[in-house]
Amino acid sequence: MIDIRHKVFKFVGGRILKTGLAAFLTAWICDALGLPVLFAVITAIVTVEPTASDSIKKGLVRFPAAAIGAGFAMLFEAFLHQSPFTYALAATFTLIACHKLGLDDGMLVATLTAVAMIPDTTGDYMTSFVGRLSTTLIGIVVSTAVNYFVMPPKFHTMINQGVKRLYRNAGDLLDQIIIDLPHAKKQTLVYQRLSRDLERTYKLIAYQREEWKYRRHSINEVRSFSVVLKKLEYLQKILYHLGNMLFTETKNTIDQEDHRIIIEAGRSISKAFHNPSTQNSKAHLESIEKLDQLFHDLDDIRDETTDPRHHFTGKMIVIFELLSLNDVIDDLYILEQKEKRYKSRGNKRDADL
């Protein structure tokens, strides 16, 4: 039963479920108070945000923005009645006013409020104005409350899973780049996709920071979060080195024996992306030692026949980037060992308690 619920939740998504709940509660409250339901529900739907922090901050912006929209709707309806110019002017002036006042996050709700008020306005403009603001306020408050109390997002879990996936994908990309040399540019789309995934993970990091402003969190969570940030910093370095390999010209510069050494070391580093502890294996150390020796041999035989405009050949750049990636993996391994020690100390303290 629990597994079925988990699959349903994963398929539908927490934000979708919260949006539906916010719409239901808003409609129920408005119906009980005898207020118009439609626009209140629309407001509740468009104001559900990824984080409770965003709901609270943007809610404080959306209500005064909605008041501006309602005011312009009443103003132009009084002079022009229900004409196309009324809708156009109310929407335009609402957007201009919100932008000038720095209420950009409330533009959508304000504009919807303005255009939705015009056909429902009766002769009593003040009653229509107060009624529309009341339904808007109900929609904002309900959606914010649902977003805060119901199914709080677990960004930390999503971030950890995303980081592991990024390292696996980086390892697979490195493996493919090494195999495709000297035609590694074929993997450009994969590289760009990996870069986008990293950006999305940083967005989740920002969400988690905002969420902690309104929720309690432990020192262990903060320490674990700092480790994840460090891993993402290493991923940035990895992407930088992979990008250099991707766009380095190596045609007619790598012979068969050198290519074998590069592939052997590259695949070993690729495996270390999946499991950093493998970088301590004898086979890995031997492959890196061969690669390092090859780099020094190439450096020693450089002479005046080398292109004076470039300090390194394409082959040397690829080898240098692989050695740099291995250095990052060494740092990652040290970081994970520290993380394990922190966790073991925390578990020991919990056991003592």
Side-chain angles (χ1 to χ4, degrees), residues 107-306:
M107 280 184 172
L108 177 60
V109 171
T111 309
L112 289 175
T113 300
V115 298
M117 281 194 69
I118 296 171
D120 294 336
T121 301
T122 60
D124 190 348
Y125 292 119
M126 182 55 67
T127 301
S128 298
F129 180 81
V130 174
R132 182 61 68 197
L133 286 187
S134 299
T135 57
T136 299
L137 181 61
I138 290 172
I140 292 173
V141 171
V142 170
S143 65
T144 301
V146 168
N147 213 21
Y148 185 84
F149 293 107
V150 179
M151 292 181 289
K154 298 180 180 179
F155 293 115
H156 197 60
T157 302
M158 298 166 61
I159 292 168
N160 282 328
Q161 293 173 349
V163 169
K164 291 179 181 178
R165 184 169 58 252
L166 282 167
Y167 272 101
R168 288 197 302 269
N169 293 342
D172 294 340
L173 176 58
L174 172 60
D175 197 41
Q176 201 59 50
I177 289 175
I178 293 301
I179 293 173
D180 288 343
L181 286 175
H183 306 291
K185 287 185 180 179
K186 292 190 297 183
Q187 302 301 320
T188 300
L189 291 178
V190 180
Y191 175 79
Q192 292 173 346
R193 191 184 310 126
L194 188 61
S195 298
R196 289 193 296 270
D197 290 342
L198 180 60
E199 290 176 4
R200 281 193 286 267
T201 305
Y202 271 114
K203 186 176 290 186
L204 292 177
I205 290 285
Y207 286 160
Q208 183 64 74
R209 282 174 168 158
E210 290 297 316
E211 198 73 7
W212 275 349
K213 292 180 180 179
Y214 297 92
R215 299 187 191 278
R216 297 179 63 184
H217 47 279
S218 66
I219 187 65
N220 287 333
E221 289 177 319
V222 175
R223 182 179 289 124
S224 177
F225 190 69
S226 65
V227 171
V228 171
L229 285 176
K230 197 66 177 177
K231 288 182 178 179
L232 286 174
E233 180 184 316
Y234 292 155
L235 268 169
Q236 288 276 24
K237 294 180 180 179
I238 289 170
L239 278 179
Y240 170 76
H241 294 305
L242 289 176
N244 283 347
M245 292 177 63
L246 202 63
F247 300 107
T248 296
E249 181 60 52
T250 58
K251 191 174 182 181
N252 301 324
T253 63
I254 303 178
D255 57 41
Q256 188 173 357
E257 178 60 24
D258 292 346
H259 196 197
R260 184 190 64 78
I261 294 174
I262 290 172
I263 288 180
E264 183 182 339
R267 285 182 168 173
S268 184
I269 296 171
S270 174
K271 291 178 182 177
F273 282 157
H274 295 266
N275 181 14
S277 61
T278 60
Q279 57 98 35
N280 283 330
S281 67
K282 183 179 179 181
H284 177 81
L285 294 175
E286 288 179 352
S287 64
I288 297 301
E289 186 177 350
K290 291 178 183 178
L291 190 68
D292 186 58
Q293 185 60 51
L294 177 59
F295 180 81
H296 287 293
D297 291 343
L298 292 172
D299 188 45
D300 291 338
I301 62 175
R302 281 193 304 165
D303 53 28
E304 295 179 357
T305 60
T306 306

Side-chain angles (χ1 to χ4, degrees), residues 17-27 44-45 48 139 142-143 146:
L17 294 175
K18 287 193 286 187
T19 302
L21 179 61
F24 168 76
L25 292 175
T26 301
I45 290 172
V48 175
V142 170
S143 65
V146 168

Side-chain angles (χ1 to χ4, degrees), residues 51-91:
T51 67
S53 171
D54 283 343
S55 290
I56 294 171
K57 289 191 298 184
K58 293 182 180 181
L60 297 174
V61 171
R62 282 167 175 155
F63 184 69
I68 292 171
F72 279 120
M74 295 298 91
L75 176 64
F76 290 113
E77 205 278 337
F79 288 101
L80 302 174
H81 305 293
Q82 295 184 24
S83 70
F85 287 108
T86 306
Y87 289 95
L89 290 173

